[in-house]
């Protein structure tokens, strides 16, 4: 899971930077996924150390959960974006939707990993 965590952090960073520059660097809020990805990446790096793994992974999941909750509203506007409806900030809807889906998938994978570790007796 530490490598999956680092991959999520990297993806979120790339999404934030990509959308920021892709929209003409007009709004710093486009960098929010990057600001979320950096501490997740750091938690993944910390989880490489056996003694820090449990705590670092819990921090990463908590951050991803906050990331999902903060960006889930983009999912509500996604159908309108996909049908070509007029939206005030279509790039924001896309970035929020991608962030929400990635964070939710990560939370699911991490919870599954926690359950497996608990059943194996290593937690």
């Amino acid at each position: 899971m530490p490598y999956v965590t680092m991959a999520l952090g990297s993806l979120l960073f790339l999404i934030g930077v990509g959308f920021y520059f892709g929209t003409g660097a007009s709004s710093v809020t486009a960098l929010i996924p990057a600001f979320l990805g950096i501490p997740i990446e750091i938690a993944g790096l910390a989880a490489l150390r056996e003694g820090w793994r449990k705590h670092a992974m819990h921090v990463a999941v908590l951050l991803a959960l906050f990331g999902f909750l903060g960006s889930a509203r983009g999912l509500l506007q996604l159908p309108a974006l996909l049908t070509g409806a007029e939206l005030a900030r279509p790039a924001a809807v896309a970035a929020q939707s991608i962030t929400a889906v990635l964070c939710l998938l990560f939370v699911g994978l991490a919870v599954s990993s926690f359950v497996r570790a608990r059943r194996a007796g290593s937690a």
Side-chain angles (χ1 to χ4, degrees):
M1 279 304 292
Y3 294 107
V4 173
T5 304
M6 290 186 295
L8 174 67
S10 296
L11 283 171
L12 290 172
F13 182 81
L14 292 173
I15 290 165
V17 171
F19 275 91
Y20 177 71
F21 288 112
T23 58
S26 61
S27 177
V28 176
T29 58
L31 288 170
I32 290 173
F35 295 145
L36 178 65
I38 291 169
I40 290 175
E41 180 88 26
I42 292 169
L45 287 168
L48 291 174
R49 294 189 63 178
E50 188 66 38
W52 294 2
R53 181 165 297 147
K54 186 191 294 187
H55 297 298
M57 290 306 303
H58 281 88
V59 167
V61 171
L62 184 62
L63 290 169
L65 181 60
F66 288 149
F68 169 73
L69 294 173
S71 58
R73 66 186 172 126
L75 291 173
L76 300 175
Q77 296 177 340
L78 187 60
L81 178 68
L82 295 175
T83 59
E86 185 81 22
L87 293 173
R89 297 180 352 227
V93 171
Q96 288 172 354
S97 297
I98 294 167
T99 299
V101 169
L102 287 175
C103 287
L104 186 61
L105 287 173
F106 177 76
V107 169
L109 285 172
V111 168
S112 174
S113 174
F114 293 162
V115 169
R116 283 194 312 274
R118 173 71 84 180
R119 286 186 181 155
S122 64

